[in-house]
Amino acid sequence: MIHRLRKHGLLSGAGACRRPVTIVLALFVLLSLGLGQAGPARAGSASTLDAYAGKAMRVFGTPGMAAVVIDGGKTTTYAWGVRKLGASARVDAHTIFPIGSNTKAFTAAALAILVDEGKLHWDDRVVDKLPGFRMYDAYASSEMTVTDLLVHRSGLGLGEGDLMMFPTTNRTRAELVHDIRYLKPAHSFRSGYDYDNVLYIVAGQLVEAVSGQRWEDFVQQHVLDPLEMRDTRTSIDARTADQVALHARNTTPVRGVGKQAVLATVMTGDVFAPAGALQVSAADMGRWLQLQLDRGRLDDGKRIFSAAAAKMLWMPQTLIPIEPLPPEVALAQPQFDAYALGFEVQDYRGHKIITHLGGVLGGVSAVVIIPEKHAAFAIMLNSEDAGALFAMREHLLDTLLGLPSPDWIAGYKRMFDDIHASAIAALHTRGAARHSERGPSLPLSGYAGVYSDPWYGNATISLGKSGTLEISLDRSPGMRGTLEHVQYDTFRTHWAMPDVEDAYVTFAIDPDGGIDRMTMKAVSPLADFSWDYQDLRFVPAAKH
């Protein structure tokens, strides 16, 4: 996705596949948009918000949604719909949703606590605190600071390295941190903004190195327990009766928008936890947002982090380029946008807001803080319906700020329909130019072998019993499938794992007729950036 349409990761950023609009496309389409619909009404008007939420969910087909709003010193939770399609259990204030990259603010807060304790400084060099840490570039390796880990200016490309952990991995967190040294940067260090997830995993390892506690245990003891966030789980693998099922539309752009269904493949494993694994209820999100509004102070006067740390967490660090928004949502065009520490700082129709989006396969979330109003809210969905998320987000923004709003539900619907139509056109154009009768250059057995990429690891190509080529991404359990010839020496994956983004696999032949290298590229023009196949450069393992 282009910047502004896919600039802010959710694992994380994480994304959908074989679906017309993926999570990150949807989330990043308008990371900073403000949209709503009805005229001004206080957020505390439950009937008004219920009616708006009901309309948004009907238009976008959202199964379940929860929200919490802090306004005028009052915290109110809301819940709509069901936890799982086809089941009767309703969403309530204690239903647990994955919040994806909204986890990043908790990781930043954990580091802030260590700074308050004098165990870290924001300008400490990471290499001095985390032995063995290396980036591809020697200068970045030696000069990257604690702050640099959190503000997306490392030089890595958009989402680079996500396939190390997405949708799952057999790596340990320590192995992932070690292998970051093989990620070749797309830009020079500190030259600009590109959203990443992997350095937040480094930040989680830094928490462990300095505190002696795993990221999960430190966050539980120092943040969740003091806030009495009893519903929250630090693992994406947590399975409780109060947890939502995750949903998406299992269709390709060519076939059109399909019906909502329970997602067959979900993200698993604890490797990416510091970047996006928290699962939180609306009730618990209210406690977290109140802490942010009170700048780290609890009701009894005790502090989780200092006022100085609170100021640092919201301090703009990396400017985010602003690109024109589609006409349907141009009213919300920000004039300023920057990344802080686990939060984004921008203006919304002339008002400063602190915000972030989050997403995993099958679920999305948004957090917004309005400092001038001492107000905040969070919205969580158990589906990838970013249109519903944005409509709710901007409706609440306009409501809390007392601003009139056009019909943004309709605006988002039109915008996503246009994006989908453009994707279909692009795929048809690509298909029309294909020459399936040309190639392959080698007998299928000539492509078989083990291929190695420095940062990802191995991929295995084999000739199956049926005479078709089979592929396995060996460090991503379950990512196995077949290869279908497209043209020349390019094939297309058909993954056995549902909901995995198909890729083109292209082999380069050397002058002696052997395989020189193998590269990959996502098939869909809407592919989430976490399917960063394009960064892989496989060569036959024998050549290493």
Side-chain angles (χ1 to χ4, degrees), residues 230-252:
R230 297 189 178 95
D231 299 329
T232 300
R233 302 291 181 266
T234 57
S235 171
I236 200 74
D237 292 330
R239 296 290 180 262
T240 71
D242 291 330
Q243 183 177 347
V244 295
L246 301 175
H247 303 81
R249 291 177 173 82
N250 280 327
T251 61
T252 67

Side-chain angles (χ1 to χ4, degrees), residues 336-354:
F336 170 81
D337 199 2
Y339 205 87
L341 306 187
F343 288 109
E344 188 172 354
V345 183
Q346 61 186 223
D347 69 292
Y348 171 76
R349 299 177 68 176
H351 300 269
K352 177 183 177 180
I353 63 170
I354 314 298

Side-chain angles (χ1 to χ4, degrees), residues 16-79:
C17 51
R18 300 185 186 174
R19 294 189 281 279
V21 178
T22 62
I23 290 177
V24 179
L25 169 65
L27 289 180
F28 297 98
V29 164
L30 296 167
L31 172 106
S32 56
L33 297 194
L35 301 163
Q37 181 175 345
R42 297 313 299 160
S45 175
S47 60
T48 300
L49 189 57
D50 286 343
Y52 189 85
K55 180 178 180 181
M57 292 173 71
R58 286 192 302 274
V59 169
F60 294 101
T62 305
M65 181 164 61
V68 59
V69 181
I70 303 175
D71 181 28
K74 179 182 179 181
T75 299
T76 308
T77 57
Y78 301 87

Side-chain angles (χ1 to χ4, degrees), residues 429-440:
T429 300
R430 184 184 297 169
R434 191 169 294 155
H435 299 282
S436 57
E437 75 283 0
R438 299 181 184 176

Side-chain angles (χ1 to χ4, degrees), residues 290-466:
Q290 190 64 62
L291 178 74
Q292 292 295 323
L293 288 170
D294 292 340
R295 316 304 286 123
R297 182 176 54 82
L298 299 172
D299 290 342
D300 61 6
K302 295 180 180 178
R303 283 191 167 273
I304 289 182
F305 49 80
S306 66
K311 182 178 180 181
M312 183 67 179
L313 293 175
W314 290 5
M315 184 176 295
Q317 300 284 339
T318 306
L319 290 176
I320 300 174
I322 296 173
E323 296 181 2
L325 300 177
E328 297 89 342
V329 295
L331 176 66
Q333 179 73 60
Q335 303 302 308
F336 170 81
D337 199 2
Y339 205 87
L341 306 187
F343 288 109
E344 188 172 354
V345 183
Q346 61 186 223
D347 69 292
Y348 171 76
R349 299 177 68 176
H351 300 269
K352 177 183 177 180
I353 63 170
I354 314 298
T355 187
H356 209 282
L357 297 173
V360 298
L361 285 170
V364 294
S365 66
V367 164
V368 177
I369 301 166
I370 311 173
E372 70 183 77
K373 296 288 186 180
H374 200 71
F377 62 87
I379 311 159
M380 299 172 288
L381 281 67
N382 63 352
S383 65
E384 297 176 5
D385 298 311
L389 179 76
F390 289 136
M392 289 294 296
R393 177 185 185 267
E394 316 313 351
H395 172 76
L396 282 168
L397 262 169
D398 289 340
T399 297
L400 291 167
L401 291 168
L403 299 172
S405 300
D407 186 351
W408 294 115
I409 291 177
Y412 275 118
K413 182 67 167 59
R414 288 194 303 271
M415 183 187 70
F416 287 124
D417 285 349
D418 288 346
I419 291 170
H420 181 233
S422 296
I424 291 175
L427 287 173
H428 281 309
T429 300
R430 184 184 297 169
R434 191 169 294 155
H435 299 282
S436 57
E437 75 283 0
R438 299 181 184 176
S441 301
L442 306 175
L444 294 184
S445 59
Y447 299 95
V450 176
Y451 296 82
S452 182
D453 175 81
W455 68 262
Y456 176 80
N458 289 345
T460 300
I461 307 292
S462 58
L463 190 62
K465 294 180 179 179
S466 63

Side-chain angles (χ1 to χ4, degrees), residues 160-179:
E160 189 173 350
D162 280 2
L163 273 178
M164 285 178 151
M165 57 189 171
F166 180 83
T168 187
T169 183
N170 55 21
R171 282 181 174 85
T172 66
R173 201 175 292 165
E175 286 176 327
L176 185 147
V177 171
H178 177 274
D179 291 346

